Amino acid sequence: TRSMFDGLYEANASMAGFQPDEQVRAKDLIYGVMLPSGAECCRALAYHIAGSEPDFVELMNQKAEDLGMANTHFVNASGLHDGNHYTTVRDIAILLNYALRNEDFRNVFTTFRYSTAPTNKHPEGITFYSTLFDKLTEQQIADGAFLGGKTGYTAEAGLCLASLALVDEKEYILVTAGAKG
């Protein structure tokens, strides 16, 4: 809805490219969250799942507690800066380790590019590219390869990355934050 975009442009939030009153599949919103970091997709999914962003944030905080993420408190669904919205690299690693057990999540997390279904505002659909793979010139690393990742950025947090790599037949999660870039 139009109200889901309130404040996002002013905050210079990353957007996937959907428009107010666009009819979008949930699957396409998920890819819009993960590949181009679409804040409008975060809000739309929050409303779809919980009825409002604040109610969804309650679910996020409950899941964080259930997973033992002791140094995390969410305030919004998009990760936009708020003094009360915080986490640690350890807690993000806990969350990513949990999420990667879900095959659907793993598929999205390791996707290079994705094209949405046609919508009422984008009859040709939209093609998203992973912000990780878009900037990564070489997927190969010593004895392995990057499999996927999720980038993030705010002026306060710096450049952040939660990533998955395969090295010597073993998977590794690496979370970095605060990079100046």
Side-chain angles (χ1 to χ4, degrees):
T1 63
R2 196 163 299 283
S3 65
M4 290 179 193
F5 289 78
D6 290 349
L8 295 180
Y9 296 114
E10 297 79 4
N12 199 29
S14 294
M15 305 290 268
F18 292 114
Q19 298 174 13
D21 302 318
E22 190 162 0
Q23 296 169 9
V24 181
R25 300 181 315 172
K27 177 180 181 177
D28 294 341
L29 291 171
I30 292 168
Y31 278 94
V33 166
M34 295 300 295
L35 275 62
S37 299
E40 81 278 29
C41 300
C42 295
R43 281 203 179 149
L45 285 167
Y47 277 78
H48 177 71
I49 292 167
S52 72
E53 188 171 15
D55 288 345
F56 184 75
V57 169
E58 279 188 44
L59 295 175
M60 292 170 65
N61 285 317
Q62 183 59 58
K63 180 54 84 175
E65 185 179 321
D66 294 347
L67 293 175
M69 297 168 59
N71 297 298
T72 295
H73 182 261
F74 298 114
V75 175
N76 59 60
S78 64
L80 288 173
H81 179 73
D82 182 295
N84 291 317
H85 188 101
Y86 56 85
T87 192
T88 63
V89 294
R90 181 181 187 283
D91 281 0
I92 292 298
I94 290 169
L95 179 61
L96 182 54
N97 186 52
Y98 170 78
L100 286 168
R101 296 177 196 157
N102 179 293
E103 186 179 333
D104 293 326
F105 175 84
R106 179 180 281 272
N107 288 336
V108 175
F109 192 76
T110 58
T111 295
F112 292 85
R113 72 181 275 287
Y114 174 80
S115 295
T116 70
T119 71
N120 59 318
K121 303 276 182 156
H122 290 96
E124 303 297 318
I126 303 174
T127 299
F128 303 135
Y129 297 90
S130 166
T131 55
L132 170 67
F133 292 119
D134 188 44
K135 306 227 183 311
L136 191 63
T137 56
E138 180 60 46
Q139 187 180 349
Q140 297 304 117
I141 55 176
D143 299 318
F146 276 106
L147 300 178
K150 174 71 183 87
T151 61
Y153 173 81
T154 65
E156 296 81 6
L159 294 166
C160 302
L161 174 64
S163 59
L164 176 67
L166 182 68
V167 178
D168 290 329
E169 305 297 319
K170 187 172 181 180
E171 287 187 345
Y172 292 89
I173 289 172
L174 176 64
V175 179
T176 57
K180 300 300 175 211

